[in-house]
Amino acid sequence: MATLLVKNATLLVTMDDEDHCWADGGIYVVDNRIEAIGPVADLPETAGRVIDAAGMVILPGLVNTHHHFYQTLTRNVPGTQDAVLFQWLVTLYPLWARLTPEAVYISSKIAIAELMLSGCTTSSDHTYIWPNGARLDDQIQAAQEMSFRFHAARGSMSVGESQGGLPPDSVVEDEAAILADSRRVIEQYHDADRYAMTRIVLAPCSPFSVSQDLMRESLALARSYGVHSHTHLAETRDEESYCLANFGRRPVELAEDLGWMGADVWHAHMVHPSAEEAKRLGASRTGVAHCPSSNMRLASGIAPVPGLLGAGARVGLGVDGSASNDSSHMLAEARQALLLHRVMGDPAGLTARQALRLATRGGAAVLGRDDIGALAPGMAADFIGYRLDTLGLAGGAVHDALAALVFCHPPQVDLSVINGRVRVEDGMLLDVDLPPLIARHNALARALVRGERA
Ligand SMILES: [Zn+2]
């Protein structure tokens, strides 16, 4: 039995149902779960490992609900810097067609490292292009090697240009092969147990790149195994036009027709639901990954997050793919959400605490988990700490340590514990040699864009 005591936190924020916070707080961990939490005076005095968190705010690890790890290779590609979604995709598809298993593996490590250092302890990823032998296994290997909690979405595209879709035919897959591989990865990797480190999600890409048959069959397959389903929906006005022209339905209506609503489904973006559609998303407890940076970056619009929350939808935050953010900084995403929902004139459109709650409890709910996102006895030992005596927080954290994390420039973590294991200490990612990883990633990124071998 391994025990860990984190003590003397300047502020300990639980995000539990009563929103408990303690000054001079601590957490006592046994193996991978929280055994006790509260004022240090109420906790065991020592443990196998003791970390002094004096000068830190401690909170639940952040949960990222939408990403495309492989896109770290194509951040900031000049031809995509000022494009809307469809043009951005059409420019990038041919580059992504050159992905290799190594590129998927290395880019996953880069994205996970960036996420972890920003405070994220759990992420989903939605890779939907699998050329040249790349497989979901390459990503799962990266996450497992880094001891990162991972919901791996087996994405897919099946309708190429010749069939009226947006992607080139060269990057789409056969639908029977998609379903067979989906079944394979569920059986090989999906862990339904509490504290699971690896879960599988099935994730046909979008209305303009897969068939309605695949949407239906993928959902049925997911439900037969009790795994969740994910896709992009209602992201842009172009998508809305495409759906009306091709299916005679708005995107949310299409999802409803296909059964893609409910507590085991979440949609990325949801920028353009009507007020009535938002109510139906809420009534069905459908999940939404809100991606403010990406929506601003691609000029997609502003998702009606207060309306979705008010209707009862499960809402979390997503950094989205690294080619439309172009960052994997989860705490910065909470700040973007805070700012975006004020820009139209409401100075309290989203408060700092609401933004951080979306990034923790909200994300956990979207991924269908009740063992992460809050700190309490019996929860997974996933928590993070930020030092408060830094330049960026100077003069801010002294007034409100929690809100400073998103009102001031979002810092990187000094401490991250995932499933009871210390993964970041003194601001350093443990067991990962970043410089050679970054060097290899950059070589792969250059080769991908230039069409060369790395
Ligand atoms: Zn996306």
Side-chain angles (χ1 to χ4, degrees):
M1 185 176 84
T3 55
L4 167 69
L5 175 66
V6 174
K7 63 178 190 177
N8 305 331
T10 299
L11 179 67
L12 173 58
V13 178
T14 65
M15 300 279 177
D16 69 4
D17 290 341
E18 288 79 37
D19 230 345
H20 282 116
C21 293
W22 291 286
D24 199 22
I27 305 173
Y28 184 74
V29 174
V30 175
D31 294 330
N32 62 346
R33 63 188 284 277
I34 296 173
E35 183 75 19
I37 185 166
V40 168
D42 297 347
L43 299 177
E45 282 178 16
T46 191
R49 174 96 194 267
V50 179
I51 293 176
D52 190 337
M56 280 190 211
V57 56
I58 301 278
L59 61 157
L62 310 181
V63 180
N64 179 40
T65 61
H66 188 62
H67 206 318
H68 311 284
F69 291 167
Y70 72 92
Q71 292 180 10
T72 56
L73 294 158
T74 54
R75 286 170 162 168
N76 183 41
V77 170
T80 69
Q81 288 174 1
D82 306 314
V84 295
L85 178 69
F86 278 19
Q87 184 55 45
W88 176 92
L89 282 168
V90 166
T91 306
L92 289 169
Y93 285 137
L95 307 183
W96 297 339
R98 302 178 191 140
L99 283 169
T100 60
E102 186 200 6
V104 168
Y105 169 75
I106 295 284
S107 59
S108 295
K109 285 209 152 179
I110 287 287
I112 291 170
E114 200 181 4
L115 284 167
M116 283 169 80
L117 285 166
S118 77
C120 182
T121 53
T122 299
S123 181
S124 185
D125 183 72
H126 184 188
T127 292
Y128 46 80
I129 187 163
W130 301 103
N132 309 313
R135 301 192 305 167
L136 194 67
D137 311 57
D138 305 318
Q139 298 195 288
I140 292 171
Q141 184 189 343
Q144 289 180 342
E145 286 175 2
M146 296 174 81
S147 301
F148 184 66
R149 206 180 293 280
F150 186 36
H151 284 222
R154 203 300 182 186
S156 55
M157 299 195 294
S158 66
V159 178
E161 261 176 325
S162 66
Q163 306 298 315
L166 192 69
D169 290 359
S170 60
V171 298
V172 304
E173 292 177 89
D174 172 71
E175 296 195 347
I178 291 167
L179 292 166
D181 194 54
S182 299
R183 188 183 291 276
R184 177 187 71 82
V185 293
I186 291 171
E187 293 191 347
Q188 189 168 345
Y189 295 109
H190 183 68
D191 180 358
D193 290 348
R194 195 167 173 82
Y195 315 124
M197 292 295 286
T198 308
R199 286 206 180 146
I200 299 296
V201 175
L202 299 190
C205 185
S206 64
F208 49 85
S209 60
V210 300
S211 74
Q212 296 188 52
D213 276 352
L214 183 64
M215 293 293 285
R216 278 198 196 88
E217 288 180 33
S218 177
L219 184 69
L221 181 64
R223 286 188 169 154
S224 74
Y225 282 98
V227 313
H228 286 215
S229 294
H230 178 48
T231 191
H232 294 93
L233 204 76
E235 180 174 359
T236 66
R237 290 291 184 203
D238 286 343
E239 177 200 328
E240 190 174 293
S241 302
Y242 181 96
C243 287
L244 286 167
N246 287 275
F247 313 121
R249 306 256 193 298
R250 295 168 45 76
V252 172
E253 293 171 335
L254 179 68
E256 289 175 304
D257 277 1
L258 298 169
W260 274 72
M261 302 283 276
D264 59 351
V265 172
W266 87 101
H267 299 295
H269 302 296
M270 202 49 72
V271 175
H272 300 291
S274 69
E276 280 305 310
E277 289 165 349
K279 282 184 193 160
R280 301 203 294 274
L281 289 159
S284 59
R285 296 288 291 148
T286 303
V288 171
H290 175 44
C291 307
S293 293
S294 175
N295 297 158
M296 285 188 264
R297 197 308 195 165
L298 296 170
S300 301
I302 304 175
V305 166
L308 288 162
L309 286 170
R314 297 171 293 125
V315 181
L317 298 180
V319 298
D320 200 6
S322 264
S324 67
N325 183 314
D326 301 274
S327 148
S328 308
H329 199 301
M330 192 58 205
L331 186 62
E333 207 59 30
R335 182 171 204 260
Q336 295 282 52
L338 171 116
L339 297 175
L340 181 60
H341 294 287
R342 295 169 175 223
V343 76
M344 298 304 284
D346 181 355
L350 198 69
T351 68
R353 282 167 174 74
Q354 286 171 329
L356 289 166
R357 208 164 174 88
L358 287 178
T360 51
R361 287 296 289 271
V366 165
L367 297 187
R369 298 196 67 135
D370 61 5
D371 55 349
I372 59 171
L375 303 179
M379 297 292 280
D382 286 15
F383 50 86
I384 52 176
Y386 298 92
R387 287 209 67 80
L388 298 170
D389 57 355
T390 61
L391 182 62
L393 300 185
V398 288
H399 307 303
D400 182 342
L402 183 61
L405 295 176
V406 283
F407 271 106
C408 303
H409 185 71
Q412 291 199 331
V413 283
D414 293 276
L415 174 69
S416 174
V417 174
I418 303 179
N419 209 39
R421 288 188 61 185
V422 179
R423 302 301 303 124
V424 178
E425 193 169 19
D426 298 327
M428 300 294 289
L429 193 54
L430 302 183
D431 312 319
V432 181
D433 192 2
L434 278 179
L437 185 66
I438 294 168
R440 183 62 188 154
H441 181 266
N442 285 344
L444 289 163
R446 261 187 221 103
L448 197 73
V449 171
R450 293 176 184 170
E452 299 164 353
R453 288 168 69 92

